[in-house]
Amino acid sequence: KELRRDPLPGADVFLTIDARIQMIAEMALREATDQNGSTIGRGSVVVMDPNTGEILAMASVPSYDPSIFIPPQDLAAIDALNTDLTAPVQARALRADAPGSTFKLMTAIAGSMSGKGGTPYGCPGFIDYGRPIACWIYRQKRGSHGTLDLQGGIKNSCNCFFFRMGNDAGIDRINEAAGFFGFGIPGAPGHTNIEVPELEENGYVGSKAWWAAKGRGPWTPSETAYISIGQGSMAATPLQICMLGAAVANGGKVYQPTLVHHFEEWQYDRDGRRQRIITDFAPRLRANLLEHGVKKRDMDNMREGMRLVVNSPGGTGKNAASKMCIIAGKTGTAQKDRWDENKKKIVDTS
């Protein structure tokens, strides 16, 4: 009897999620409309503190009411949820897909690592890599961007600029840069290691070794060109793109994203006395890009380019400008092929 100890409660885990920011993110997604006034069908938001890696909000739509799983369960609602083609059960912030031009920031990092961050590149409207690959401005029958520096390449989201920078840097360098953000290669693990591994999909970038193993012959400049603008043999999760934007925002530091701030628990010491243990939060630095070849001048130009995206009349994200504060950003539009139940090809622009 004298050796008996009362059981202790389990640890209390304190999340980094800010309830107010989470609510704002969820309501913004649910109430957002497109240019036709329709609510958006699928989307996600990730809010991260760029100086610590703390996830302040993570939301996705469509969402669902979790109370349907509380006994007595609403079996009809659960069945409808599991058969819904819009997949509300997915945590879209952790789902990998083509990131489009948001990935151009990664190409800029790889370019800087290769000493090409200060190189101006011309945009003739399209570049012929065995077949012509066009810039978006050329497809809109608006000519070309002309010669651009890094700031201008980001501000205008010029495809040709990043085709050329990506090929000058090379796919190996892009793979190296992407590795700092948890990207793997197709079919291999590539994760940020956030604390929900069963929900996080693989973000990946194609490589020469993977290409050769597939028996596809030599790696081509066109493959590098597509990857350089966030399409082709690659995919990214919104969380990874958030990490990318955060690293540019803070000047080059890649932090480990986390949902857990600290925990508190009771323990018995060796004398049988109860003591309360409270862990400390400490940001975990994955990499300082400035220590891996990225030039500070180039990082400053990436930051200014993102500011111009939103605050310049010619910026691709000027509609996001605010009078309350200075917002910086990077727009992205990706196309991918999909097929309907009759094996007919559908081009999905998202």
Side-chain angles (χ1 to χ4, degrees), residues 42-95:
R42 292 166 291 180
S44 66
V45 167
V46 182
V47 182
M48 174 190 288
D49 185 329
N51 297 308
T52 64
E54 295 169 88
I55 301 299
L56 305 179
M58 186 180 289
S60 66
V61 292
S63 55
Y64 62 92
D65 181 1
S67 68
I68 63 177
F69 293 98
I70 299 175
Q73 295 180 344
D74 187 338
L75 298 181
I78 293 173
D79 183 62
L81 182 66
N82 291 328
T83 56
D84 191 331
L85 295 178
T86 63
V89 294
Q90 287 186 342
R92 284 191 153 75
L94 302 175
R95 182 175 181 270

Side-chain angles (χ1 to χ4, degrees), residues 2-6 8 266-275:
E2 60 272 14
L3 296 178
R4 182 185 180 279
R5 293 180 177 179
D6 291 331
L8 297 175
W266 289 94
Q267 296 179 357
Y268 283 110
D269 64 17
R270 6 187 114 164
D271 298 321
R273 293 187 298 253
R274 283 168 39 120
Q275 57 182 350

Side-chain angles (χ1 to χ4, degrees), residues 153-170:
I154 293 173
K155 172 194 139 184
N156 293 287
S157 195
C158 176
N159 289 355
C160 292
F161 180 95
F162 287 100
F163 291 159
R164 288 178 156 160
M165 175 173 274
N167 270 289
D168 276 359

Side-chain angles (χ1 to χ4, degrees), residues 185 207-217:
I185 60 173
S207 69
K208 290 179 180 177
W210 165 77
W211 191 261
K214 288 288 186 180
R216 297 184 178 181

Side-chain angles (χ1 to χ4, degrees), residues 25 44 51 53 60 90 106 118 130 149-150 166 197 226 229 233 243 257 260 270 277 287 306 315 321 326 329 343:
S44 66
N51 297 308
S60 66
Q90 287 186 342
M106 189 75 78
D149 59 9
L150 181 55
Y226 278 121
I229 63 167
S233 303
M243 291 172 64
V260 177
R270 6 187 114 164
I277 305 297
M306 291 182 70
I326 296 176
K343 305 296 182 182

Side-chain angles (χ1 to χ4, degrees), residues 235-247:
T237 66
L239 175 60
Q240 288 172 316
I241 297 301
C242 184
M243 291 172 64
L244 176 57

